[in-house]
């Protein structure tokens, strides 16, 4: 069970091995969790979350790796916002947005995150760092109620159904 308490909304927290397979599994479980919350596979929000989780998890594996340490994915659905957090054990190495170079085959991940997210950043932890990104869900399409989000009158992509925080184990 997660030690933190989410007063309003829904939460998903899971640790993964700091490998390419762990990063792929993080992306797959993120969209699976969204589907469980009522955001269907293949929707725009689901696709955006999949891409952001992919980029942040890949960065945690490639640049935040400390041998023997996992990385953590956390999704928090609150009123009008979905927050994605990926934490790794390497605090001294913060992500940097590199300038685009003609013909480059890598280095575009944070540009994609910045283009899809309403905001993103980095925060320190006791061990390591957390890179976070937030996506907005229009208030007119999602309404809050005690304990979580409820569907609007005409169900939209942003509808999130869950009344309690939970952590899923593998």
């Amino acid at each position: 069970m997660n030690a933190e308490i989410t007063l309003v909304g829904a939460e998903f927290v899971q640790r993964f091995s700091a490998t390419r397979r762990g990063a792929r599994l993080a992306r797959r479980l993120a969209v699976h969790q969204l589907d469980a919350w009522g955001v269907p596979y293949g929707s725009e929000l689901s696709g955006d979350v999949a891409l952001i989780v992919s980029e942040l998890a890949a960065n945690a594996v490639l640049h935040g790796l400390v041998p023997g340490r996992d990385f953590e994915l956390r999704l928090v659905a609150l009123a009008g916002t979905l927050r994605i957090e990926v934490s790794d054990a390497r605090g001294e190495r913060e992500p940097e947005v590199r300038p685009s170079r003609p013909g480059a085959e890598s280095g575009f991940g944070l540009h994609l995150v910045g283009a899809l997210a309403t905001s993103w950043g980095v925060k320190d932890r006791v061990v390591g760092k957390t890179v976070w990104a937030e996506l907005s869900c229009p208030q007119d399409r999602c309404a809050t109620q005690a304990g979580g989000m409820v569907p609007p009158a005409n169900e939209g992509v942003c509808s999130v159904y869950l009344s309690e925080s939970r952590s899923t184990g593998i």
Side-chain angles (χ1 to χ4, degrees), residues 76-99:
V76 181
L78 296 172
T81 302
L82 177 66
R83 185 176 177 100
I84 302 163
E85 297 181 353
V86 175
S87 303
D88 64 52
R90 196 144 184 211
E92 76 280 0
R93 193 164 182 194
E94 289 197 9
E96 62 181 78
V97 179
R98 298 186 213 159

Side-chain angles (χ1 to χ4, degrees), residues 12 24 44 104 130 149:
F12 169 84
R24 184 174 61 246
E44 184 177 345
T130 297
M149 295 177 125

Side-chain angles (χ1 to χ4, degrees), residues 85-156:
E85 297 181 353
V86 175
S87 303
D88 64 52
R90 196 144 184 211
E92 76 280 0
R93 193 164 182 194
E94 289 197 9
E96 62 181 78
V97 179
R98 298 186 213 159
S100 299
R101 297 182 327 258
E105 294 182 9
S106 64
F108 300 107
L110 292 177
H111 290 284
L112 293 171
V113 171
L116 295 173
T118 54
S119 60
W120 73 276
V122 181
K123 65 180 182 177
D124 292 329
R125 293 172 26 128
V126 173
V127 175
K129 67 181 172 301
T130 297
V131 182
W132 57 269
E134 292 183 346
L135 297 162
S136 67
C137 177
Q139 289 292 342
D140 62 331
R141 298 188 63 180
C142 291
T144 60
Q145 196 174 56
M149 295 177 125
V150 296
N154 60 349
E155 291 185 27

Side-chain angles (χ1 to χ4, degrees), residues 31-32 34-35 39-50 157:
V31 296
H32 179 74
L34 287 179
D35 187 64
V39 178
Y41 291 108
S43 67
E44 184 177 345
L45 182 59
S46 179
D48 290 351
V49 169
V157 172

Side-chain angles (χ1 to χ4, degrees), residues 12-77:
F12 169 84
V13 180
Q14 180 64 55
R15 288 187 179 224
F16 300 92
S17 63
T19 62
R20 291 172 57 184
R21 183 177 184 194
R24 184 174 61 246
L25 185 57
R27 176 185 53 80
R28 294 185 71 165
L29 285 179
V31 296
H32 179 74
Q33 184 63 48
L34 287 179
D35 187 64
W37 286 345
V39 178
Y41 291 108
S43 67
E44 184 177 345
L45 182 59
S46 179
D48 290 351
V49 169
L51 192 127
I52 290 171
V53 169
S54 292
E55 294 299 335
L56 298 183
N59 282 350
V61 169
L62 293 173
H63 307 294
L65 178 64
V66 172
R69 298 284 179 106
D70 296 338
F71 73 91
E72 181 179 272
L73 169 66
R74 182 174 182 234
L75 303 175
V76 181

